[in-house]
Amino acid sequence: MSDVKKVVLAYSGGLDTSVILKWLQDSYQCEVVTFTADIGQGEELEPAREKAGKFGVKEIFIDDLREEFVRDFVFPMFRANTVYEGEYLLGTSIARPLIAKRLIEIANLTGADAISHGATGKGNDQVRFELGAYALKPDIKIIAPWREWDLLSREKLLAYAEQHAIPVEMKHKAGGSPYSMDANLLHISYEGRALENPADEPEEDMWRWTVSPEQAPDAAEYVDLEFSHGDIVGINGQAMSAATVLAELNRLGGKHGIGRQDLVENRYVGMKSRGCYETPGGTIMLKAHRAIESITLDREVAHLKDDLMPRYASLIYNGYWWSPERTMLQTMIDASQASVNGWVRVKLYKGNVIVVGRDSETDSLFDSTIATFEDDAGAYNQADAGGFIKLNALRLRIAAKLKNRSSN
Amino acid sequence: MSDVKKVVLAYSGGLDTSVILKWLQDSYQCEVVTFTADIGQGEELEPAREKAGKFGVKEIFIDDLREEFVRDFVFPMFRANTVYEGEYLLGTSIARPLIAKRLIEIANLTGADAISHGATGKGNDQVRFELGAYALKPDIKIIAPWREWDLLSREKLLAYAEQHAIPVEMKHKAGGSPYSMDANLLHISYEGRALENPADEPEEDMWRWTVSPEQAPDAAEYVDLEFSHGDIVGINGQAMSAATVLAELNRLGGKHGIGRQDLVENRYVGMKSRGCYETPGGTIMLKAHRAIESITLDREVAHLKDDLMPRYASLIYNGYWWSPERTMLQTMIDASQASVNGWVRVKLYKGNVIVVGRDSETDSLFDSTIATFEDDAGAYNQADAGGFIKLNALRLRIAAKLKNRSSN
Amino acid sequence: MSDVKKVVLAYSGGLDTSVILKWLQDSYQCEVVTFTADIGQGEELEPAREKAGKFGVKEIFIDDLREEFVRDFVFPMFRANTVYEGEYLLGTSIARPLIAKRLIEIANLTGADAISHGATGKGNDQVRFELGAYALKPDIKIIAPWREWDLLSREKLLAYAEQHAIPVEMKHKAGGSPYSMDANLLHISYEGRALENPADEPEEDMWRWTVSPEQAPDAAEYVDLEFSHGDIVGINGQAMSAATVLAELNRLGGKHGIGRQDLVENRYVGMKSRGCYETPGGTIMLKAHRAIESITLDREVAHLKDDLMPRYASLIYNGYWWSPERTMLQTMIDASQASVNGWVRVKLYKGNVIVVGRDSETDSLFDSTIATFEDDAGAYNQADAGGFIKLNALRLRIAAKLKNRSSN
Amino acid sequence: MSDVKKVVLAYSGGLDTSVILKWLQDSYQCEVVTFTADIGQGEELEPAREKAGKFGVKEIFIDDLREEFVRDFVFPMFRANTVYEGEYLLGTSIARPLIAKRLIEIANLTGADAISHGATGKGNDQVRFELGAYALKPDIKIIAPWREWDLLSREKLLAYAEQHAIPVEMKHKAGGSPYSMDANLLHISYEGRALENPADEPEEDMWRWTVSPEQAPDAAEYVDLEFSHGDIVGINGQAMSAATVLAELNRLGGKHGIGRQDLVENRYVGMKSRGCYETPGGTIMLKAHRAIESITLDREVAHLKDDLMPRYASLIYNGYWWSPERTMLQTMIDASQASVNGWVRVKLYKGNVIVVGRDSETDSLFDSTIATFEDDAGAYNQADAGGFIKLNALRLRIAAKLKNRSSN
């Protein structure tokens, strides 16, 4: 074990990170600082304080990061209509860089020389935590217990807990959850165990944030969303903070059975993995954001964004939020949103998000006097299209003539 | 008027193309050949034959192109998960190159020196017809009456029809449809008039192919789709031809309220335009194709496809199906589909297409022995991740160190 | 002829634009304002004033735009290492948006309702002028005489000049230059006539700005270039303005036979065209800029720039400088240049620009303690590479195993 | 040490791989098979056979892979105009996948369960060898001694050699070459030691394959190159095999001082590295290939290739030749070359490769009757350009009008 004096641990208060806490104290003989964040996962944080105290932890950080999370991470990501591999809304990925940032801030505050996290050696989260940490503090030591210790099975972990008097909840003794879960204001995810065969449908009782479309209300609900610079700043006429917007959209989406996903995705570490996600508010945001962009963004700006979106999504998925290339793309994406102002009306009904109206008093590029099928009073000269087509066809015609000559 | 001897007209039998037929005969003093195709628009074709005959047309072509349409145009496009501007499934765009091809084939067969179509000078269809025609027969003359004549209002058109004894149906006299519509096996579209304000929700009675989600059955329906080389070749265990697959998926999707879209899109000719579409079968295909690819495609192959998809979609939207760059991309896309074999199970319910299972006996790259959260018997060495992260972080760390030095 | 009261003409004082001046006065019965710019083409401007006066022009604008040209157009373009189709440094393309901008400014100043230019209907320049003008003043009328009049042969043009007492220089009467030329501080171009067969080598006496490599000095010359934020701000230790930098690099490059190009390029209007160019200073700048970026830019930032460069180059080539998508890309490119500071030493010798040294005191990311082949004192752990390779290989191995199974 | 029975070693016969040979025998107690390839590095191979014999090696493979190297690796790469980071012609990168392939073939032939190579843990070559090997034989064991042993300094290596009676040439005792070198038919490279400071110019006596431009002949030499499907198949009228073409171009380029490069590049493992390269033949090929494409490729095909080239270059640089995404890109690139037939004339003079002519009897898309500045007899209607510009400007004008309204 390398020479570590003080380590900041991302601590949830659950079994795994409690075992890690103890293991760090024993293996590294170092002081442990715990950090627990509220990023909207919907769990109480105070028990984490109490538990950490029982392990003799003296520096305990418990932070409410919900506004920062949505304002500085979720919203910027949605400005790009970001989707990984055509489906995944990156709910887990986008929370990690914030945790990494806060871990480093606390290491700086407390004079710690290392950080630690509970992510396994097979997943993307270790990469996201560690790339972020290294980018922000290049000489930080990082302890990833799952890559170091020999507690690789659940039985060994439970035995270690028992041996070290770490309290184990009944559910863990009974075999634990059939899923590995993670949650924040953007989503809740399910992986592993019962989901390992992608040929099988998930059990209905797995889902926690949304009712099934079948159980959703029989009456549709219309919701008005106000956009400013690409972000939602109000719902149904009421201005709201970023985190409040997302919480309210989660409530609405959850109620109407919106935002469930069941996917097989490609991890950065090289394997395919099956994941199920509930992203009710994010699903509404994505649809609405595309709708407001459809009337306020120039065509080529929109296409440039679309062309680069998969790359931007991969950067976030792979853990490169704190990289210069992500910052560079963000600069461009943010610049494009200056005109993305207006409102979108969506209809929510049993799993569906249906855009039923969009307008922008200040920035609409939709000009019905030009697009009209009726007489346009000269706004558009149809004859121009002839020349437009002729020149766009020129290279095709030259090639076709050559081909005809060749075949004669 | 230039010197045209014989022109092949894309003839639907409706009012507009009947007026065009007459106008061509009068204005160009040329012979007209009519061509009417069944591409799944769901209208009888024989009345077109009769009407053309009444205008004295001697060469009348009526072709059933449904299989060719789905096999050679729709399916290749779906291999790329093609979506224009994040939403539009290109139902109109993909039919035009086939019509262009057939117009030119008939021009060659009949010795015609020109073709003609009924697309207006404001839309994309004129571009798609004409780029295709020029690419296939570079010296063809193209007559686009809407860009030439002075019948630009509905009143003038009706007056011309009356004057030349062209039969006008009651509905036209009563003001005509509140929408401009187009249909083929992939979709039906609505544009214009009642849809010109994108702030307003379309009337429910506009939609023709799908019931509303509210009216869809209360019971979900599970459907199994068999893929071969990226194309659906069987439904619920029954092998089917391409056009039959799409027709059956349209039936299923329509029944369950699937595939309505209400969009503002950017036309190639430079304006924004509001369009509503029903693509029931296509919506199911897209979702299912992504699902089968998720287990059978290599990650980087999938990402390369995703990166190029928007460009490929624009090529089709803009009318460049018959261009060398589309062909070049298609070569690559088709090559990627060799391994896209297996089945996908979808659940259809009130507007939702939910993937609930996917597998491939021959080509699955999903390896649960590696992804498992349980003991993997050494299939994956978690320690490898440390080196992986360290080297991926190296450039970020070097930059961070430089920055730290600079700020000291 | 549409109703035009006053038109601003981009006026060189040469034969073509003098004929246009007269033709505008006669055909449109409108007032003409002339605008002549010094963008480094190396011709005296005062004769243009005198000639315009003789035509009765009352508002004559003669502007020295050299600094603005290099600072706001050439330098921003070089920050992206911009090259069109692998070769062309865009010397003509980059000057047009400045002319368009100034034409519109003068139209606004003088209350003109139209602008006019002397570009032909076959080239890119008409597009560049007009797209710029429309983007800056959407209702401007644009008169492109070459697309309107019937003076399409040189004989007719000369006859018109004679008829209207427009002075014609001896060289024109004798048949004119065997090339169509254009020049500004970035380059001089040759097209047409004697160059129309791309199988033939240009005559040596065509080239005007550079000696041939054969005629260049036998002794090499070393030059030090100082970069700040991606732009050259000093040469051989002497700080210089943007235009002075480019003029001095032109002098050095011209002396050493640097920057000749002989190309076939693809025009936006659809045809291939042969062009010869001399870009002595630009050729040095491009090479040096890549060299300073090689030590100061992050790898992924550099690659992102490289991936987008061809698209950015096409935007400029096609005339979209004043488009929102060019602005959006520029925002990103400029942001990347914050760290591009330092110096580059080049050796100039008979057509060669050889980089022989580069360094940055403040921003070098080159770390010899890591790259060294010697002992690196632990700066890099070679064992990390094992894990790095293993995880990058994982997907390839899974696929290979599947393939092996299939073939058994 | 893991359980290895027989290992195939990429063996040059030099000091490093001789030490590795002995170290493998001692450390792994396994049988060693040696493989030495002629890929044009210009060294005799028979000494390697003799040396391997002295170590008791029973299975010795010595293969002439020059034709395969150029035909199946170099030429396909040049079809894409491949350049890494704007400068590097990938001379080292492109040879590695062939070595990997042959190592695996020999492992299969000899029943070996492992391969080994002499690449260090800091470079790209280890990645290229090992990704290739894993992709071709997923369960192969790979021994990379530089990542395992403790002979990390030159002193320790020499001591080991002395101790085990491995012959050490005088030059090594004297300190060894001041550069780490690598050569094959495409290039020779220099890295390390004397080159570690990128601010310093390399010594003239470092360069081995080319004379300096100063020492090159005072008379230029014209060379005609015949292309078929994008590959050079003849020089000055004489048909040649792939390897002969490259050897002859190396001779010509070397004679005329062509193809030296001095770069800082970004390694896949995360560091910047300075390298000098001589690629005389490749430099000529690249220039000539772009020239023949300029008249035979469609514009959009060429642009699509340009857009993807940096990605393709990175794949090769990073060692992904044997990946499905490289294969997929290659399929597209190769398809584009069907029309790349014709000839190019280049002038070689003191470091310069100047294209002075290009033509294609069968595939030229250059049409002088259209591009001409003279009367084109109606081949191109200049009026078409008006409509072309108007429609391309439409979105810019709509946006400008909105902006004008907003500022009022």
Side-chain angles (χ1 to χ4, degrees), chain C residues 85 121-122 134 138 198 262 267 272 297 299 303 325 350 352 358 370 376 380 382 390 395 397, chain D residues 85 121-122 134 138 198 262 267 272 297 299 303 325 350 352 358 370 376 380 382 395 397:
Chain C
E85 297 187 339
K122 286 186 171 181
Y134 284 134
D262 173 0
R267 286 194 191 153
K272 290 184 182 291
L297 271 197
R299 179 184 72 199
H303 289 195
E325 65 272 23
K350 285 188 177 289
N352 296 276
R358 69 296 265 166
I370 287 181
D376 63 8
Y380 179 99
Q382 300 210 19
K390 270 295 187 70
R395 65 184 172 95
R397 292 175 68 210
Chain D
E85 298 188 337
K122 287 187 171 181
Y134 284 134
D262 173 0
R267 286 195 191 151
K272 288 184 184 291
L297 271 197
R299 179 185 71 199
H303 289 196
E325 66 272 23
K350 286 187 177 289
N352 297 277
R358 71 294 268 166
I370 286 180
D376 63 8
Y380 178 99
Q382 299 211 18
R395 65 184 173 94
R397 292 174 67 210

Side-chain angles (χ1 to χ4, degrees), chain A residues 84-87 120-122 126-127 130-131 134-135 138-139 146-147 152 180 191-193 196-202 213-214 218 220 222 262-264 266-274 287 290 293-299 302-303 306-307 310-311 314 320 322-325 343 345 347 349-352 354-359 365-366 368-374 376 380 382-383 385-386 388-390 392-393 395-397 400-401 404, chain B residues 84-87 120-122 126-127 130-131 134-135 138-139 146-147 152 180 191-193 196-202 213-214 218 220 222 262-264 266-274 287 290 293-299 302-303 306-307 310-311 314 320 322-325 343 345 347 349-352 354-359 365-366 368-376 380 382-383 385-386 388-390 392-393 395-397 400-401 404:
Chain A
Y84 181 66
E85 297 187 338
E87 302 274 1
T120 80
K122 287 187 170 181
Q126 56 175 344
V127 190
E130 299 181 23
L131 289 181
Y134 284 133
D139 290 322
W146 286 98
R147 299 203 305 261
L152 284 171
S180 168
E191 291 185 301
R193 299 202 185 184
E196 283 193 3
N197 187 351
D200 296 340
E201 186 174 1
E214 286 90 339
D218 286 329
Y222 285 76
D262 172 0
L263 305 173
V264 175
N266 290 292
R267 286 194 191 151
Y268 190 29
V269 293
M271 69 189 70
K272 288 184 183 292
S273 152
R274 202 261 191 97
K287 193 89 178 175
R290 278 219 172 261
E293 283 196 342
S294 77
I295 56 166
T296 58
L297 272 197
D298 170 81
R299 179 184 73 200
H303 290 196
D306 281 351
D307 287 345
R311 181 176 199 148
S314 285
Y320 290 95
W322 296 112
S323 71
E325 66 272 22
W343 61 263
R345 182 168 299 140
K347 176 183 171 185
Y349 175 71
K350 286 187 177 290
N352 297 276
I354 302 162
V355 173
V356 297
R358 70 295 265 167
D359 204 356
L365 296 167
F366 183 89
S368 65
T369 61
I370 287 180
T372 184
F373 277 71
E374 311 301 310
D376 63 9
Y380 178 99
Q382 300 210 19
F388 178 76
I389 296 169
K390 270 295 185 69
N392 280 316
R395 66 184 172 94
L396 305 175
R397 292 175 67 210
K401 280 182 195 177
N404 287 354
Chain B
Y84 181 65
E85 297 187 338
E87 302 274 0
T120 80
K122 287 188 171 180
Q126 57 176 342
V127 190
E130 298 182 23
L131 289 181
Y134 284 134
D139 290 322
W146 286 98
R147 299 202 305 260
L152 284 172
S180 169
E191 291 185 301
R193 300 203 185 181
E196 283 193 2
N197 186 353
D200 297 339
E201 186 173 2
E214 286 90 337
D218 287 329
Y222 284 75
D262 172 359
L263 305 174
V264 175
N266 290 292
R267 286 193 190 152
Y268 190 30
V269 291
M271 68 189 71
K272 288 183 183 292
S273 152
R274 202 262 191 97
K287 194 89 178 176
R290 277 219 171 263
E293 283 196 340
S294 77
I295 56 167
T296 58
L297 271 197
D298 171 80
R299 179 184 71 200
H303 290 197
D306 281 351
D307 287 344
R311 183 176 198 147
S314 285
Y320 290 95
W322 296 111
S323 72
E325 65 272 23
W343 61 263
R345 182 168 299 139
K347 177 183 170 185
Y349 175 70
K350 284 188 178 290
N352 296 277
I354 302 162
V355 173
V356 297
R358 69 297 265 165
D359 205 356
L365 296 167
F366 183 89
S368 65
T369 62
I370 286 181
T372 185
F373 278 71
E374 311 301 311
D375 195 320
D376 64 8
Y380 178 98
Q382 300 211 18
F388 178 75
I389 296 169
K390 270 294 185 70
N392 280 316
R395 66 185 173 93
L396 305 174
R397 292 175 66 211
K401 280 181 196 177
N404 288 352

Side-chain angles (χ1 to χ4, degrees), chain A residues 77-91 93 261 263 282-283 285-287 290 305-306 308-317, chain B residues 86-87 287 290 303 306-307:
Chain A
M77 179 172 80
F78 273 80
R79 287 175 208 147
N81 303 315
T82 315
V83 181
Y84 181 66
E85 297 187 338
E87 302 274 1
Y88 175 38
L89 298 189
L90 295 170
S93 326
Q261 294 194 298
L263 305 173
T283 302
M285 284 207 295
L286 175 65
K287 193 89 178 175
R290 278 219 172 261
K305 285 186 68 208
D306 281 351
L308 289 170
M309 186 277 283
R311 181 176 199 148
Y312 176 81
S314 285
L315 285 177
I316 295 176
Y317 185 85
Chain B
E87 302 274 0
K287 194 89 178 176
R290 277 219 171 263
H303 290 197
D306 281 351
D307 287 344

Side-chain angles (χ1 to χ4, degrees), chain A residues 213-278:
Chain A
E214 286 90 339
Q215 298 302 317
D218 286 329
E221 183 167 1
Y222 285 76
V223 180
D224 281 8
L225 304 169
E226 181 76 23
F227 280 89
S228 174
H229 290 42
D231 300 334
I232 299 181
V233 296
I235 299 180
N236 288 332
Q238 185 161 355
M240 291 180 191
S241 74
T244 317
V245 160
L246 188 46
E248 174 63 6
L249 293 180
N250 280 337
R251 188 188 67 77
L252 288 163
K255 172 182 167 192
H256 289 285
I258 288 163
R260 293 184 176 186
Q261 294 194 298
D262 172 0
L263 305 173
V264 175
E265 73 200 48
N266 290 292
R267 286 194 191 151
Y268 190 29
V269 293
M271 69 189 70
K272 288 184 183 292
S273 152
R274 202 261 191 97
C276 291
Y277 304 102
E278 289 170 279

Side-chain angles (χ1 to χ4, degrees), chain C residues 15 32 34 68 88 92 111 207 215 220-221 269 304 334-335 342 368:
Chain C
L15 175 63
V32 177
T34 60
E68 183 179 1
Y88 175 38
T92 299
W207 307 99
Q215 297 302 317
E221 183 167 2
V269 293
L304 180 54
D334 290 354
S368 65

